[in-house]
Coordinates of all heavy atoms in Angstrom, one line a residue:
P19 N -7.0 4.6 -12.5 CA -6.4 5.7 -13.3 C -4.9 5.9 -12.9 O -4.5 5.6 -11.8 CB -7.2 6.9 -12.9 CG -7.8 6.6 -11.6 CD -8.0 5.1 -11.6
P20 N -4.1 6.5 -13.8 CA -2.7 6.7 -13.5 C -2.4 7.4 -12.2 O -1.5 7.1 -11.5 CB -2.2 7.5 -14.7 CG -3.1 7.1 -15.8 CD -4.5 6.9 -15.2
E21 N -3.3 8.4 -11.9 CA -3.1 9.2 -10.7 C -3.1 8.4 -9.4 O -2.3 8.6 -8.5 CB -4.2 10.3 -10.6 CG -4.1 11.3 -11.7 CD -4.7 10.8 -13.1 OE1 -5.5 9.9 -13.0 OE2 -4.3 11.4 -14.1
K22 N -4.0 7.4 -9.4 CA -4.1 6.5 -8.2 C -2.9 5.6 -8.1 O -2.3 5.4 -7.1 CB -5.4 5.7 -8.3 CG -5.6 4.9 -7.0 CD -7.0 4.3 -6.9 CE -7.2 3.6 -5.6 NZ -8.6 3.0 -5.5
L23 N -2.5 5.1 -9.3 CA -1.3 4.2 -9.3 C -0.1 5.0 -8.9 O 0.8 4.5 -8.2 CB -1.2 3.6 -10.7 CG -0.2 2.6 -11.0 CD1 -0.3 1.4 -10.0 CD2 -0.4 2.0 -12.4
W24 N 0.0 6.2 -9.4 CA 1.2 7.1 -9.1 C 1.3 7.3 -7.6 O 2.4 7.2 -7.1 CB 1.0 8.4 -9.8 CG 2.2 9.3 -9.6 CD1 2.2 10.4 -8.8 CD2 3.4 9.2 -10.2 NE1 3.5 11.0 -8.8 CE2 4.2 10.3 -9.7 CE3 4.0 8.4 -11.2 CZ2 5.5 10.5 -10.1 CZ3 5.3 8.6 -11.6 CH2 6.1 9.6 -11.0
R25 N 0.2 7.5 -7.0 CA 0.2 7.6 -5.5 C 0.8 6.4 -4.8 O 1.7 6.5 -3.9 CB -1.2 7.8 -5.0 CG -1.3 8.9 -4.0 CD -2.8 9.2 -3.6 NE -2.7 9.5 -2.2 CZ -3.1 8.7 -1.3 NH1 -3.5 7.5 -1.5 NH2 -2.9 9.1 0.0
A26 N 0.4 5.2 -5.3 CA 1.0 4.0 -4.7 C 2.4 3.8 -5.0 O 3.1 3.1 -4.2 CB 0.2 2.8 -5.2
L27 N 2.9 4.4 -6.1 CA 4.3 4.3 -6.5 C 5.2 5.3 -5.8 O 6.4 5.2 -5.7 CB 4.5 4.4 -8.0 CG 3.9 3.4 -8.9 CD1 4.1 3.8 -10.3 CD2 4.6 2.0 -8.6
T28 N 4.6 6.4 -5.2 CA 5.4 7.5 -4.7 C 5.1 7.9 -3.2 O 5.8 8.7 -2.7 CB 5.2 8.7 -5.6 OG1 3.8 9.1 -5.6 CG2 5.7 8.5 -7.0
Q29 N 4.2 7.3 -2.6 CA 3.9 7.6 -1.2 C 4.6 6.5 -0.3 O 4.2 5.3 -0.4 CB 2.4 7.6 -0.9 CG 1.6 8.7 -1.7 CD 2.0 10.1 -1.2 OE1 2.0 10.3 0.0 NE2 2.2 10.9 -2.1
P30 N 5.5 6.9 0.6 CA 6.3 5.9 1.3 C 5.4 4.9 2.1 O 5.8 3.7 2.1 CB 7.1 6.8 2.3 CG 7.3 8.1 1.6 CD 6.0 8.3 0.8
H31 N 4.3 5.3 2.7 CA 3.5 4.4 3.5 C 2.9 3.4 2.6 O 2.7 2.2 3.0 CB 2.5 5.1 4.4 CG 1.4 5.8 3.7 ND1 1.6 7.0 3.0 CD2 0.1 5.5 3.5 CE1 0.5 7.3 2.4 NE2 -0.5 6.4 2.7
L32 N 2.5 3.8 1.4 CA 1.9 2.8 0.4 C 3.0 1.9 -0.2 O 2.8 0.7 -0.4 CB 1.2 3.6 -0.7 CG -0.1 4.4 -0.2 CD1 -0.7 5.1 -1.3 CD2 -1.1 3.4 0.4
I33 N 4.2 2.5 -0.5 CA 5.3 1.7 -1.0 C 5.6 0.6 0.0 O 5.9 -0.6 -0.4 CB 6.5 2.6 -1.3 CG1 6.3 3.6 -2.4 CG2 7.7 1.7 -1.7 CD1 7.3 4.7 -2.5
A34 N 5.6 0.9 1.3 CA 5.9 -0.1 2.3 C 4.9 -1.2 2.3 O 5.3 -2.4 2.6 CB 5.9 0.6 3.7
E35 N 3.7 -1.0 1.9 CA 2.7 -2.0 1.9 C 2.9 -3.0 0.7 O 2.5 -4.2 0.9 CB 1.3 -1.4 1.8 CG 0.8 -0.7 3.0 CD -0.6 -0.3 2.9 OE1 -1.4 -1.1 2.5 OE2 -0.8 0.9 3.3
W36 N 3.4 -2.6 -0.4 CA 3.5 -3.5 -1.5 C 4.9 -3.9 -1.9 O 5.1 -4.9 -2.6 CB 2.7 -3.0 -2.8 CG 3.3 -1.7 -3.4 CD1 3.0 -0.4 -3.1 CD2 4.3 -1.7 -4.4 NE1 3.7 0.4 -3.9 CE2 4.5 -0.3 -4.7 CE3 4.9 -2.7 -5.2 CZ2 5.4 0.1 -5.7 CZ3 5.8 -2.3 -6.1 CH2 6.1 -0.9 -6.4
L37 N 5.9 -3.1 -1.5 CA 7.3 -3.3 -1.9 C 8.1 -3.6 -0.7 O 8.4 -4.7 -0.4 CB 7.8 -2.1 -2.8 CG 9.1 -2.3 -3.4 CD1 9.2 -3.5 -4.3 CD2 9.5 -1.0 -4.2
M38 N 8.6 -2.5 -0.1 CA 9.5 -2.6 1.1 C 9.4 -1.4 1.9 O 9.0 -0.3 1.4 CB 10.9 -2.8 0.7 CG 11.2 -4.1 0.0 SD 13.0 -4.2 -0.4 CE 12.8 -4.9 -2.1
K39 N 9.8 -1.5 3.2 CA 10.0 -0.3 4.0 C 11.0 0.6 3.3 O 11.9 0.2 2.7 CB 10.5 -0.7 5.4 CG 9.5 -1.4 6.2 CD 10.1 -1.8 7.6 CE 9.0 -2.6 8.3 NZ 9.6 -3.2 9.5
N40 N 10.8 2.0 3.5 CA 11.6 2.9 2.7 C 11.6 4.3 3.3 O 10.8 4.6 4.2 CB 11.0 2.9 1.3 CG 9.6 3.5 1.3 OD1 9.4 4.7 1.1 ND2 8.6 2.7 1.5
D41 N 12.4 5.1 2.7 CA 12.4 6.6 3.0 C 12.4 7.3 1.7 O 13.1 8.3 1.5 CB 13.6 7.0 3.9 CG 15.0 6.5 3.4 OD1 15.0 5.7 2.5 OD2 16.0 7.1 3.9
F42 N 11.5 6.9 0.8 CA 11.4 7.5 -0.5 C 10.8 8.9 -0.5 O 10.0 9.2 0.4 CB 10.5 6.6 -1.4 CG 10.2 7.1 -2.8 CD1 11.1 6.8 -3.8 CD2 9.1 7.9 -3.1 CE1 10.9 7.3 -5.1 CE2 8.9 8.4 -4.3 CZ 9.8 8.0 -5.3
A43 N 11.3 9.7 -1.4 CA 10.7 11.0 -1.7 C 10.7 11.2 -3.2 O 11.7 10.9 -3.8 CB 11.4 12.1 -1.0
P44 N 9.6 11.7 -3.8 CA 9.6 11.8 -5.2 C 10.3 13.1 -5.7 O 9.7 14.0 -6.3 CB 8.1 11.9 -5.5 CG 7.5 12.5 -4.3 CD 8.3 12.0 -3.2

Side-chain angles (χ1 to χ4, degrees):
E21 297 75 22
K22 186 170 184 178
L23 188 50
W24 182 256
R25 224 174 143 259
L27 293 175
T28 59
Q29 297 290 314
H31 69 286
L32 295 176
I33 297 168
E35 288 186 47
W36 68 269
L37 185 59
M38 292 180 224
K39 292 179 182 171
N40 65 91
D41 55 343
F42 178 84

